[in-house]
Amino acid sequence: LRTPLNGMVGLSDVVMQDATCPAALKKKIQVIRTSGIRLSLLVDDILDAASSKRNTLVVKHEKVSIHDTMESVA
């Protein structure tokens, strides 16, 4: 699942950088890109849950911005 999602996000990045791409299309491509990233994070969460059940989950402690997190899900 990760490889096709990464391909989708990467291709959308390329299209978004194309100066000849119309703004309306870029807006739609951005929705596809954002959805791909969210789906990729969901896959990661599912894999983390599976690791947790097997007691192989590695927890990484790091600082996060609550503001940025809220903006990304709004």
Side-chain angles (χ1 to χ4, degrees):
L1 283 173
R2 287 182 179 167
T3 301
L5 284 172
N6 289 336
M8 185 175 72
V9 171
L11 186 57
S12 65
D13 285 340
V14 170
V15 173
M16 293 290 292
Q17 293 175 3
D18 185 352
T20 63
C21 184
L25 181 58
K26 282 187 178 185
K27 200 173 204 179
K28 292 175 184 174
I29 296 292
Q30 182 61 37
V31 170
I32 293 170
R33 181 182 184 281
T34 302
S35 297
I37 291 170
R38 286 182 179 166
L39 185 55
S40 180
L41 292 172
L42 179 60
V43 168
D44 289 344
D45 289 345
I46 291 168
L47 293 173
D48 285 346
S51 293
S52 176
K53 286 189 176 194
R54 290 190 314 263
N55 292 324
T56 60
L57 180 66
V58 177
V59 177
K60 182 171 70 171
H61 296 276
E62 60 185 41
K63 292 182 181 182
V64 296
S65 167
I66 297 296
H67 182 269
D68 291 345
T69 302
M70 295 303 293
E71 286 291 319
S72 72
V73 296

